[in-house]
Amino acid sequence: MARLFSPRPPPSEDLFYETYYSLSQQYPLLLLLLVIVLFGLLALLAVAWASGRELASDPGFLTTMLCGLGGFSLLLGLASREQRLQRWTRPLSGLVWAALLALGHGFLFTGGVVSAWDQVSFFLFVIFTVYAMLPLGMRDAAAAGLASSLSHLLVLGLYLGPQPDSQPALLPQSPPQPSQRPIQLHTIAPRPRGPAPSEADPSAQLAANAVLFLCGNVAGAYHKALMERALRATFREALSSLHSRRRLDTEKKHQEHLLLSILPAYLAQEMKAEIMARLQAGQGSRPESTNNFHSLYVKRHQGVSVLYADIVGFTRLASECSPKELVLMLNELFGKFDQIAKEHECMRIKILGDCYYCVSGLPLSLPDHAINCVRMGLDMCRAIRKLRAATGVDINMRVGVHSGSVLCGVIGLQKWQYDVWSHDVTLANHMEASGVPGRVHITGATLALLAGAYAVEDAAMEHGDPYLRELGEPTYLVIDPRAEEEDEKGTAGGLLSSLEGPKMRPSLLMTRYLESWGAAKPFAHLSHVESPVSTSTPLPEKALSSFSPQWSLDRSRTPRGLDDELDTGDAKFFQVIEQLNSQKQWKQSEDFNPLTLYFREKEMEKEYRLSALPAFKYYAACTFLVFFSNFIIQMLVTNRPPALTITYSITFLLFFLLLFVCFSEHLTKCVLKGPKMLHWLPTLSVLVATRPGLRVALGTATILLIFSMAITSLVFLPAASNCPFRAPNVSSTASNLSWELPGSLPLISVPYSMHCCVLGFLSCSLFLHMSFELKLLLLLLWLAASCSLFLHSHAWLSDCLIARLYLGTLDSRPGVLKEPKLMGAISFFIFFFTLLVLARQNEYYCRLDFLWKKKLRQEQEETETMENLTRLLLENVLPAHVAPQFIGQNRRNEDLYHQSYECVCVLFASVPDFKEFYSESSINHEGLECLRLLNEIIADFDELLSKPKFSGVEKIKTICSTYMAATGLNATSGQDAQQDAEQSCSHLGTMVEFAVALGSKLDVINKHSFNNFRLRVGLNHGPVVAGVIGAQKPQYDIWGNTVNVASRMESTGVLGKIQVTEETACALQSLGYTCYSRGIIKVKGKGQLCTYFLNTDLTRTGPPSATLG
């Protein structure tokens, strides 16, 4: 039973729960209780009038009824205002209880002779409704229930005890000897088996009353505990659902930000649908397609301008920076460029080292796209001039702009980066490469679109780019109109350097100055969102502060202005609370049918009816308590005939068997130690909890068994109407006449059989999850059976009891309150309607609990899917070991992410032949079909990353047809330095195998596309700096001399070969690979280098070779 009582929730949750509980559950029940009492009083008046009684002749009865009608009408008026009830819940509930108690005591002393069984059913009604229908806590309800029980017992005990002469005998006596006459005017001799107890002692009947009241208290407390447990569970599930919705909203916002940080909005939804399909099909897999190609998300746009910008002198500066300084410097610089791009309606495409390029006219066409790019280029140059003037650091900006058309979109499966391709993009790149530091270099196409907005001058082409010389088109340098103004004003050259002193490094000077720009941190929108993951489901603080006892949860009656005070989260909280209001069951709902409460979705209704019910065993246990109470009562008020004892013994056996089956799952060890023939019982216990058909059959049989045993004593009373107390020769002075019928049970067992029937009604309410229609059927069946028994077939027993009570009086007809059959029938109807109301309420809350659990599961699954989607999106931007540092509470600080590594192997693999393959014509849709093939190449390369043996390979980016990857990035900082060279560089072998696998993939593509593409690969290893830069479009990248040399190894390499530096060749030789010397070659920016080719025909053939060549 202790499991029925859940631990107390946090105070804030408890406050809302109590308010929700009293309003949503108990408020309508309180109104219904008052209505039932009022209709019961009216029914009593109607029965009294219909039975021919003169109401005026019984002023006590009439006064009690009128006072009751007036008092309960007043209470109904007071309780009809929900706000008033919320403010005065306990006082009003106490008034209702006191009024019911006063009415019960008024009934005791109105209408005739006071007997021990008087108004027991009414007090049982008071006790049960205190628990089930009044908005009281468990302690208050228990106190009221016990006080009601004790008041009845004490009042009758005191009233009947001191008056043995004036009150009729209450105890049963043994039946007379067969030799005696049925009617005897003197004391009847006891049977030989033992003396009968004194007839004047009412203790046995009061003990039976105590058992009835105790059973009523236990049944009421059990019902309340079940309901509170169900309601609290529903409440918490509703809060958890709200919590999940917030998490879901947060995840959706994260996804939106992440998608928009990778892709333009017009591509975001299309790509998201692809990821969702991948998640549903299984992580890492692609959904089945109608063709053999990967999905291509590339579109053609005309009328755009492309800007390329490169920071001149940054490579030398970066070599002097610490990892933190380098990442901070890049983030501030490119963050500033992103701000300028936003001001001029440009979209940053990608960052390549210290190169920055963007496009204007995407995704929406802009008529002034050329002017936007030129303005942006001028502002970038101006920002760098200010930086140079303030720090004295010798850096500059070189910008190239060209206008035309582009193919834009995303290729590959991993590390998506929005990119642009076309001959016009290539031209813009060459415009930057051949430009002049500090100037914006534009083509004739861009100049034509400027329409004279800027003055230009011809660019000298003597030392220009070969690509531009081949085109033979003139190019121009834009004259910045504000440059002269800046020269006239002058600048405090090297202001910061002069203040800080000549000894400070240039990189540190730049870092100090750039920090003043205040560029946003990458993924700042993710790190500042409070993580919704919590186990305690906190409530909105503003909702707590806005809450007051006077405020109703009914939103239609919310005080004006309160909604303005609540934020969106609080408003959603109150919307959820309002959905739990039990008054909703009578209104149209998209979930329930308001009449039958069936779910509108047939599958959900079927799932509800087939759901498991582990608590069924507790229902059966409490029902056994009702049965045991009936047994004790029958033993107290009857002379315990052997047949009745045998009947109860058989029923006890059946109940014990039922309980043993229900609880055998908890007694598995004991059962398995017993006879083998009982080893199936634990399995049967599980079946009872999980099979609804078996459950319904056992529950129905249990209730019918209690109903049957409640009226079993009537079987031992004569069916013929041969009441001896109506004989005309019975003396009015025979006060000691026996209460027994000849050869039968005592008459006082008749009203107690009615009380046992009432307990039978209560047993039906103990099966909380039993369907409403089944309860209705059982209650109707029992109501019809009880009324037919006590009002028809055995009605004469009640008349006989009345005749015995009023023996010798002039008016032998008492008031309606003292006539057992009438009060019994009225009690049956009152309990019938009360339990029907509770059954409907229970059914609603059981279904509501099931609905919220299902919603919670669905939202949790959706949230989990969204979290997986967010993780995949983030891992499409960042490596898996970096991504967690940018999510919610995992964000450790506000510093930029940066990490230095001692040994990282960097790979550049390109398909140089693709540049010749690429063409723009109407046949290939202006280059779109060429990009489709490139997408297949990159996607096949990406698929290799999902193989376990390549789990250490991290894709960095793609640059047109060049694929960049690295290994050794998932090692802990400083870890490599602590290991020997062989262990620290063991991942180089993984990269070599990956490069070989890339070549194999390209061979397969060549076979299917009838091409002869060959791979050119460059490898290098050494120290690098990794970091995340860019707030608008965060990008993970690696920098350092190792990266630059690896790029040169690819660009100076040979088709079909893997070119490496001398240091990398030595490391690979130690791992079992064979390298041979290429010789000394000239490498841009590095001078003369001795390089090697990797022999890819042999892999780890055995012991290392002695030489490289």
Side-chain angles (χ1 to χ4, degrees):
M1 294 293 291
R3 297 170 68 181
L4 298 177
F5 298 88
S6 302
R8 292 183 65 82
S12 59
E13 181 180 325
D14 192 51
L15 171 65
F16 276 98
Y17 170 73
E18 292 299 333
T19 306
Y20 146 73
Y21 179 77
S22 62
L23 291 181
S24 176
Q25 164 68 358
Q26 299 291 348
Y27 173 68
L29 289 180
L30 175 62
L31 296 182
L32 288 170
L33 171 62
L34 294 174
V35 170
I36 288 172
V37 172
L38 286 173
F39 273 100
L41 293 174
L42 292 174
L44 279 173
L45 286 174
V47 169
W49 176 78
S51 61
R53 290 174 171 83
E54 291 291 337
L55 297 180
S57 63
D58 192 355
F61 172 75
L62 190 59
T63 302
T64 303
M65 299 302 293
L66 292 178
C67 288
L69 286 170
F72 283 100
S73 298
L74 179 62
L75 289 172
L76 182 61
L78 291 174
S80 61
R81 293 292 300 274
E82 190 176 355
Q83 293 175 331
R84 187 183 293 117
L85 173 65
Q86 190 172 18
R87 186 174 183 179
W88 304 102
T89 301
R90 291 186 67 182
L92 191 58
S93 301
L95 279 177
V96 173
W97 169 70
L100 287 170
L101 207 59
L103 186 63
H105 285 291
F107 286 171
L108 276 176
F109 298 98
T110 303
V113 177
V114 178
S115 304
W117 58 80
D118 272 350
Q119 306 308 319
V120 171
S121 293
F122 184 81
F123 273 80
L124 198 59
F125 171 77
V126 173
I127 292 168
F128 185 74
T129 53
V130 159
Y131 289 99
M133 303 185 78
L134 287 184
L136 295 172
M138 181 63 80
R139 291 182 180 179
D140 293 339
L146 292 174
S148 304
S149 308
L150 291 175
S151 68
H152 185 276
L153 295 172
L154 290 175
V155 168
L156 282 184
L158 293 174
Y159 182 78
L160 297 176
Q163 306 176 30
D165 298 332
S166 61
Q167 295 301 318
L170 298 176
L171 281 180
Q173 186 178 352
S174 301
Q177 298 290 347
S179 60
Q180 294 176 323
R181 294 178 302 177
I183 305 301
Q184 190 70 23
L185 300 182
H186 54 81
T187 304
I188 299 175
R191 295 186 63 174
R193 63 184 182 187
S198 171
E199 291 184 346
D201 184 11
S203 58
Q205 294 173 71
L206 292 178
N209 294 349
V211 173
L212 276 163
F213 295 150
L214 179 62
C215 183
N217 274 282
V218 173
Y222 181 79
H223 184 277
K224 188 176 187 67
L226 286 177
M227 284 305 300
E228 282 196 345
R229 184 170 179 255
L231 292 173
R232 195 178 293 278
T234 305
F235 182 71
R236 286 178 172 172
E237 282 153 10
L239 293 184
S240 297
S241 178
L242 175 64
H243 189 57
S244 293
R245 290 178 191 177
R246 288 181 174 179
R247 288 181 59 190
L248 194 58
D249 292 341
T250 302
E251 291 302 327
K252 287 180 178 178
K253 289 177 182 177
H254 285 179
Q255 289 168 26
E256 182 179 355
H257 284 295
L258 283 169
L259 278 171
L260 295 180
S261 72
I262 307 170
L263 313 166
Y266 79 96
L267 267 183
Q269 292 304 317
E270 192 175 355
M271 300 292 284
K272 182 177 178 179
E274 160 118 2
I275 300 183
M276 292 294 290
R278 286 170 59 189
L279 283 174
Q280 292 173 0
Q283 184 176 342
S285 63
R286 286 190 298 121
E288 293 185 3
S289 178
T290 54
N291 54 51
N292 295 324
F293 294 100
H294 295 85
S295 300
L296 179 65
Y297 301 100
V298 175
K299 294 184 178 180
R300 183 172 181 81
H301 283 266
Q302 294 181 339
V304 300
S305 292
V306 183
L307 177 148
Y308 269 83
D310 187 69
I311 304 174
V312 181
F314 186 81
T315 303
R316 181 181 67 257
L317 181 66
S319 64
E320 303 173 2
C321 294
S322 67
K324 182 176 181 179
E325 290 172 351
L326 176 61
V327 175
L328 175 63
M329 193 185 305
L330 288 169
N331 186 72
E332 295 291 339
L333 280 171
F334 293 131
K336 181 67 173 179
F337 296 162
D338 285 344
Q339 293 175 6
I340 296 173
K342 187 175 181 180
E343 292 172 2
H344 297 297
E345 297 182 285
C346 295
M347 175 192 292
R348 189 243 290 175
I349 301 300
K350 196 178 288 187
I351 298 170
L352 302 175
D354 58 354
C355 179
Y356 182 102
Y357 68 100
C358 61
V359 175
S360 181
L362 286 180
L364 299 177
S365 298
L366 297 172
D368 51 354
H369 55 87
I371 295 177
N372 290 341
C373 278
V374 170
R375 285 176 180 171
M376 180 177 175
L378 294 174
D379 283 350
M380 293 172 78
C381 293
R382 193 172 300 117
I384 294 297
R385 280 201 301 271
K386 288 181 180 180
L387 174 64
R388 184 175 65 249
T391 63
V393 177
D394 186 19
I395 61 171
N396 215 327
M397 201 76 197
R398 193 171 57 217
V399 180
V401 179
H402 174 61
S403 302
S405 61
V406 297
L407 290 168
C408 56
V410 175
I411 62 173
L413 301 178
Q414 295 193 22
K415 295 296 185 295
W416 288 332
Q417 289 183 354
Y418 190 71
D419 210 343
V420 290
W421 305 267
S422 71
H423 290 315
D424 290 323
V425 174
T426 304
L427 179 55
N429 189 6
H430 285 277
M431 289 295 293
E432 174 272 316
S434 62
V436 178
R439 303 294 297 274
V440 177
H441 190 197
I442 64 173
T443 61
T446 302
L447 178 64
L449 294 171
L450 292 180
Y454 287 95
V456 298
E457 59 185 8
D458 290 338
M461 296 299 296
E462 306 87 49
H463 306 291
D465 187 277
Y467 183 85
L468 297 179
R469 279 204 307 269
E470 185 179 346
L471 289 177
E473 294 184 3
T475 59
Y476 309 89
L477 296 174
V478 178
I479 300 174
D480 189 351
R482 287 177 291 181
E484 295 180 1
E485 298 176 7
E486 291 178 0
D487 292 339
E488 290 175 2
K489 291 179 181 180
T491 59
L495 178 61
L496 187 62
S497 61
S498 62
L499 292 176
E500 298 289 349
K503 295 183 179 180
M504 183 170 289
R505 288 184 290 109
S507 60
L508 187 56
L509 282 172
M510 268 194 65
T511 304
R512 293 277 183 88
Y513 179 77
L514 289 173
E515 283 179 337
S516 65
W517 285 4
K521 304 292 191 299
F523 300 105
H525 58 280
L526 298 184
S527 61
H528 289 290
V529 176
E530 182 182 356
S531 177
V533 180
S534 174
T535 57
S536 59
T537 315
L539 299 182
E541 292 183 4
K542 190 175 288 186
L544 281 171
S545 62
S546 304
F547 175 77
S548 65
Q550 293 84 5
W551 182 67
S552 168
L553 292 181
D554 188 345
R555 304 299 288 175
S556 64
R557 296 193 290 273
T558 300
R560 186 175 299 176
L562 182 59
D563 281 336
D564 299 334
E565 298 176 7
L566 299 177
D567 59 19
T568 305
D570 296 333
K572 288 183 179 180
F573 168 76
F574 287 115
Q575 288 173 7
V576 170
I577 295 300
E578 180 60 20
Q579 290 179 28
L580 301 178
N581 197 313
S582 63
Q583 299 173 54
K584 293 285 185 181
Q585 63 180 295
W586 304 105
K587 299 178 182 178
Q588 284 294 333
S589 168
E590 59 184 27
D591 298 312
F592 300 105
N593 182 308
L595 182 62
T596 63
L597 291 181
Y598 288 0
F599 291 112
R600 296 191 183 277
E601 294 183 15
K602 292 183 179 180
E603 286 299 320
M604 187 180 292
E605 179 68 23
K606 181 180 179 182
E607 185 180 350
Y608 170 75
R609 292 186 178 274
L610 295 178
S611 59
L613 183 58
F616 179 81
K617 50 182 171 287
Y618 301 114
Y619 302 163
C622 199
T623 310
F624 173 74
L625 177 65
V626 174
F627 165 75
F628 188 66
S629 300
N630 279 348
F631 167 72
I632 295 176
I633 293 166
Q634 296 288 354
M635 294 300 104
L636 286 171
V637 300
T638 66
N639 51 14
R640 297 175 288 280
L644 183 64
T645 306
I646 293 172
T647 306
Y648 266 103
S649 299
I650 296 173
T651 312
F652 263 110
L653 184 62
L654 294 175
F655 257 107
F656 282 137
L657 180 61
L658 172 65
L659 292 177
F660 187 70
V661 168
C662 290
F663 286 92
S664 60
E665 184 183 3
H666 301 279
L667 305 171
T668 304
K669 292 183 179 179
C670 298
V671 173
L672 293 179
K673 290 180 181 179
K676 290 186 177 180
M677 60 182 297
L678 298 179
H679 289 184
W680 54 272
L681 285 176
T683 305
L684 183 59
S685 176
V686 176
L687 290 177
V688 169
T690 55
R691 297 292 178 88
L694 184 58
R695 249 188 350 253
V696 169
L698 288 176
T700 305
T702 304
I703 294 172
L704 291 177
L705 195 61
I706 291 180
F707 285 169
S708 303
M709 295 309 297
I711 59 172
T712 300
S713 60
L714 296 180
V715 177
F716 302 99
L717 291 169
S721 179
N722 56 352
C723 179
F725 306 116
R726 295 180 181 177
N729 57 346
V730 176
S731 169
S732 62
T733 61
S735 60
N736 59 351
L737 189 64
S738 171
W739 282 83
E740 296 186 33
L741 294 174
S744 182
L745 296 179
L747 283 172
I748 59 168
S749 65
V750 176
Y752 282 97
S753 293
M754 296 180 183
H755 301 331
C756 289
C757 288
V758 170
L759 287 183
F761 275 98
L762 291 184
S763 68
C764 195
S765 69
L766 299 178
F767 287 85
L768 188 66
H769 280 77
M770 182 177 283
S771 64
F772 174 75
E773 58 268 24
L774 183 56
K775 285 184 181 178
L776 175 62
L777 180 62
L778 291 172
L779 288 172
L780 278 174
L781 176 65
W782 191 236
L783 180 67
S786 302
C787 289
S788 64
L789 276 173
F790 294 105
L791 291 179
H792 180 63
S793 63
H794 289 71
W796 68 272
L797 293 171
S798 175
D799 297 335
C800 189
L801 179 60
I802 294 300
R804 176 63 184 87
L805 277 172
Y806 295 91
L807 193 63
T809 59
L810 294 175
D811 185 7
S812 62
R813 193 178 190 195
V816 68
L817 293 172
K818 300 297 182 179
E819 191 163 350
K821 64 179 181 182
L822 294 180
M823 280 305 293
I826 291 173
S827 299
F828 295 154
F829 275 96
I830 288 177
F831 272 95
F832 171 78
F833 286 112
T834 302
L835 295 177
L836 210 58
V837 167
L838 289 174
R840 165 95 183 186
Q841 196 81 349
N842 294 350
E843 175 85 356
Y844 176 69
Y845 272 101
C846 288
R847 290 178 174 272
L848 191 65
D849 180 59
F850 175 82
L851 177 65
W852 279 102
K853 282 181 180 177
K854 188 173 181 65
K855 284 184 177 180
L856 180 59
R857 286 196 303 270
Q858 291 174 344
E859 287 169 356
Q860 287 175 340
E861 291 173 359
E862 188 176 356
T863 302
E864 185 179 352
T865 302
M866 292 296 110
E867 288 174 347
N868 289 336
L869 180 56
T870 302
R871 177 180 54 79
L872 283 178
L873 287 173
L874 196 56
E875 290 179 3
N876 252 315
V877 183
L878 307 174
H881 67 280
V882 178
Q885 302 189 49
F886 291 88
I887 294 293
Q889 293 178 347
N890 292 323
R891 184 67 184 267
R892 293 174 296 185
N893 51 53
E894 292 300 319
D895 291 338
L896 289 165
Y897 173 79
H898 59 86
Q899 189 72 63
S900 60
Y901 298 90
E902 293 299 321
C903 182
V904 171
C905 184
V906 183
L907 170 142
F908 281 85
S910 69
V911 186
D913 298 333
F914 183 79
K915 292 181 180 179
E916 299 177 4
F917 173 78
Y918 180 83
S919 63
E920 296 177 2
S921 64
S922 58
I923 298 176
N924 61 19
H925 300 90
E926 302 300 328
L928 185 63
E929 296 307 316
C930 296
L931 277 186
R932 189 180 302 280
L933 181 58
L934 179 62
N935 182 57
E936 291 301 307
I937 295 172
I938 301 300
D940 283 359
F941 289 175
D942 287 344
E943 286 180 345
L944 290 173
L945 299 174
S946 61
K947 292 186 176 183
K949 66 177 181 178
F950 297 135
S951 59
V953 179
E954 191 67 47
K955 177 183 176 183
I956 305 299
K957 67 180 80 170
T958 56
I959 309 154
C960 191
S961 62
T962 301
Y963 195 92
M964 178 182 176
T967 57
L969 292 174
N970 53 0
T972 306
S973 178
Q975 178 181 359
D976 294 332
Q978 301 173 7
Q979 299 174 344
D980 56 52
E982 182 178 353
Q983 291 177 332
S984 64
C985 296
S986 60
H987 55 81
L988 269 67
T990 303
M991 185 59 87
V992 170
E993 292 179 12
F994 182 71
V996 173
L998 293 180
S1000 300
K1001 278 286 186 182
L1002 191 60
D1003 290 340
V1004 174
I1005 292 173
N1006 286 334
K1007 180 179 179 181
H1008 289 89
S1009 63
F1010 305 103
N1011 283 297
N1012 191 27
F1013 295 131
R1014 286 191 293 173
L1015 207 61
R1016 188 174 67 194
V1017 179
L1019 283 181
N1020 189 28
H1021 81 285
V1024 302
V1025 174
V1028 180
I1029 59 172
Q1032 297 296 325
K1033 289 185 178 181
Q1035 180 175 319
Y1036 178 84
D1037 210 342
I1038 55 177
W1039 303 273
N1041 185 62
T1042 302
V1043 179
N1044 296 335
V1045 173
S1047 175
R1048 300 306 182 197
M1049 289 297 100
E1050 179 274 320
S1051 61
T1052 60
V1054 177
L1055 292 175
K1057 300 291 184 179
I1058 301 176
Q1059 182 173 231
V1060 299
T1061 61
E1062 186 173 4
E1063 295 79 5
T1064 303
C1066 291
L1068 289 174
Q1069 183 193 24
S1070 66
L1071 295 176
Y1073 295 95
T1074 303
C1075 300
Y1076 59 92
S1077 176
R1078 180 188 182 185
I1080 296 176
I1081 62 171
K1082 184 179 180 181
V1083 178
K1084 180 182 177 182
K1086 304 299 175 184
Q1088 303 292 324
L1089 289 180
C1090 180
T1091 63
Y1092 293 81
F1093 289 130
L1094 181 66
N1095 188 350
T1096 55
D1097 296 330
L1098 302 174
T1099 57
R1100 298 179 185 259
T1101 56
S1105 302
T1107 61
L1108 298 175

